[in-house]
Amino acid sequence: MKAFSKCFAVVLTAASLITLGGCAKSTPDNRVATTANWNARTSTMVEKNYLDYWQSHKEVAEYGITFKDTSATGYTVSYDTDAAVYTTEFYIEGAYDWKSAAIPEEYRVPLADSEPVYVYTTSLAISGSYKITATGEEKKFDDVLQTVSKFRLAGDNLKPVYSRQIIKNTAPNSLGTQILDVAYVQTDSVFETFYNRECTEALVKQTDNLADVKEKETKKIKLNDKSGLSIFDNSQLRAAVRAFTMTGGASRKFNVVAPQNGAMQACTATITAPVELDRNDEAQKAIITALDNCSPDDYIFFDGTPSSGEESERTYRYNAVALSIEADLKGSDPTCWYSTVENNDVNGTRSVLLRMTTPVAFGLGSLTYSLKALNVESI
């Protein structure tokens, strides 16, 4: 089986909370507090009152992509960001059945009732090329990431129950090489991950499409590390962070399961104080336009008092969140912007993911995904 690249793959970073069952009583409770910030009026409305709503509606976000090139001298990487597409969807599946034959037999719970789970999907399609500086040799690629993650309610600390990740990725593999075949490494795999109900173990099924005969591997990951930290699948991470309380200057520590590496790693989210989006900044105008165009029936972004009978120009603020994995070769940290929850009693901003910047390995640049459109659609 070809090992997954240790580099933090470009498409994977785009994907990018529980009490551990079976722990001894002495296990500390270090869970991150999670609130359903995607719902309005989160301080007054019970999460379960929104279950019917998210079963009949879904939030759809579309992002534009830009690439900042800081390539090494030996070779360069480029991306066709004008043609790239990145979208996310968020909704509820009304009845996740723990008795289903689709779940591995050892994880089925015969006496458990079905329950509602959140569903978060991401889809990225991006093309580009690697080019050797000295010779002009070039390798073109078309990368794809499609993920589906399912997880329990915020009241259940967003325990993951299932994820599926389709990853076709071309990642940097060397610093400054002048040999084209050494400059990159390709992955073309499907990872399907099941979690037991207590979230103390995960079973990963991998299909490697680059093998001569499609190679399959099944691996178990033990999650009961006695840390008492919350646990997320890496494909649900952007949605999970959205549920955090964004206290400026604070940090949150939790565990992230990476099915591609067959491991669980500790991660820290460092949150800044709210910052105002700048209407004079060209890079932020698309985000502001997307928020200006949101339906007032779904999102309320406001700056107080209308003037002369007309609505005043809105001010939007965000909290930046840097995500840092504890690893020997972790590279630079990806950073996300979430719309600031100004008032918990209203919460019209719903802590939406506005932007994320993901570094390309070996200092070859960074990709930035900026909100382009945000809507709630009927299902």
Side-chain angles (χ1 to χ4, degrees):
M1 174 74 62
K2 182 180 291 186
F4 188 76
S5 171
K6 291 184 179 179
C7 303
F8 208 46
V10 169
V11 295
L12 192 56
T13 59
S16 54
L17 309 174
I18 66 169
T19 299
L20 297 178
C23 296
K25 290 182 179 180
S26 60
T27 300
D29 184 353
N30 293 320
R31 296 173 299 174
V32 178
T34 53
T35 303
N37 287 330
W38 38 81
N39 296 330
R41 302 183 297 280
T42 51
S43 67
T44 57
M45 184 69 72
V46 177
E47 178 184 22
K48 292 186 177 180
N49 290 351
Y50 274 97
L51 300 188
D52 290 341
Y53 178 81
W54 286 115
Q55 288 178 63
S56 58
H57 297 79
K58 64 179 177 180
E59 180 186 74
V60 180
E62 179 182 350
Y63 296 81
I65 306 174
T66 57
F67 175 59
K68 181 179 180 180
D69 182 8
T70 55
S71 295
T73 55
Y75 68 97
T76 61
V77 59
S78 61
Y79 295 93
D80 182 4
T81 55
D82 289 339
V85 177
Y86 180 67
T87 58
T88 68
E89 294 187 353
F90 178 85
Y91 56 94
I92 277 180
E93 177 184 302
Y96 187 82
D97 184 5
W98 286 101
K99 301 183 289 293
S100 171
I103 297 174
E105 185 174 4
E106 60 195 295
Y107 291 172
R108 295 173 202 161
V109 186
L111 300 180
D113 294 330
S114 60
E115 63 177 294
V117 293
Y118 291 114
V119 182
Y120 180 65
T121 74
T122 71
S123 178
L124 172 68
I126 190 168
S127 60
S129 67
Y130 286 79
K131 182 180 289 187
I132 299 299
T133 304
T135 64
E137 290 181 277
E138 186 176 27
K139 166 66 177 179
K140 295 184 177 180
F141 61 83
D142 295 292
D143 283 355
V144 172
L145 171 70
Q146 295 177 353
T147 74
V148 177
S149 58
K150 298 181 181 183
F151 43 96
R152 301 175 76 182
L153 302 184
D156 288 313
N157 236 190
L158 303 178
K159 295 177 185 178
V161 300
Y162 173 82
S163 73
R164 186 170 190 265
Q165 304 181 23
I166 300 172
I167 301 172
K168 184 178 180 182
N169 182 52
T170 310
N173 192 47
S174 177
L175 177 63
T177 184
Q178 296 189 32
I179 303 173
L180 184 60
D181 289 344
V182 177
Y184 65 90
V185 61
Q186 290 189 302
T187 300
D188 187 354
S189 293
V190 178
F191 298 87
E192 192 173 29
T193 306
F194 297 87
Y195 293 83
N196 66 353
R197 197 165 188 265
E198 297 77 17
C199 206
T200 57
E201 187 176 274
L203 187 147
V204 181
K205 297 181 179 180
Q206 177 184 357
T207 302
D208 184 357
N209 294 320
L210 291 181
D212 293 336
V213 176
K214 287 188 179 181
E215 190 175 352
K216 295 184 179 180
E217 182 181 38
T218 300
K219 180 180 293 187
K220 284 186 178 180
I221 306 174
K222 295 294 184 180
L223 310 179
N224 192 357
D225 67 351
K226 300 188 183 300
S227 68
L229 295 174
S230 303
I231 296 175
F232 305 116
D233 186 281
N234 64 357
S235 64
Q236 77 171 111
L237 185 55
R238 300 297 189 268
V241 172
R242 185 178 179 182
F244 292 2
T245 300
M246 301 288 182
T247 303
S251 62
R252 310 279 186 269
K253 189 172 182 178
F254 46 89
N255 285 323
V256 176
V257 178
Q260 304 77 15
N261 295 328
M264 181 176 71
Q265 293 175 292
C267 180
T268 299
T270 302
I271 304 167
T272 69
V275 177
E276 185 177 325
L277 283 172
D278 185 355
R279 288 183 176 271
N280 296 317
D281 186 324
E282 287 294 329
Q284 298 181 33
K285 282 184 177 179
I287 300 174
I288 293 170
T289 299
L291 298 179
D292 283 343
N293 290 336
C294 284
S295 168
D297 294 332
D298 300 317
Y299 303 92
I300 306 169
F301 298 92
F302 60 88
D303 187 28
T305 308
S307 176
S308 302
E310 296 181 359
E311 185 179 353
S312 61
E313 188 174 79
R314 296 169 179 173
T315 297
Y316 306 117
R317 299 202 301 168
Y318 66 88
N319 295 90
V321 181
L323 300 172
S324 178
I325 292 285
E326 291 184 6
D328 293 335
L329 299 172
K330 70 182 183 66
S332 301
D333 298 334
T335 301
C336 302
W337 293 2
Y338 291 87
S339 58
T340 299
V341 177
E342 305 283 4
N343 183 327
N344 286 320
D345 290 329
V346 178
N347 190 27
T349 64
R350 298 176 185 251
S351 194
V352 172
L353 177 62
L354 303 180
R355 190 176 93 158
M356 59 182 176
T357 299
T358 61
V360 180
F362 299 107
L364 295 179
S366 59
L367 285 159
T368 297
Y369 305 75
S370 298
L371 186 67
K372 186 177 179 180
L374 178 66
N375 299 288
V376 174
E377 301 176 357
S378 297
I379 299 176

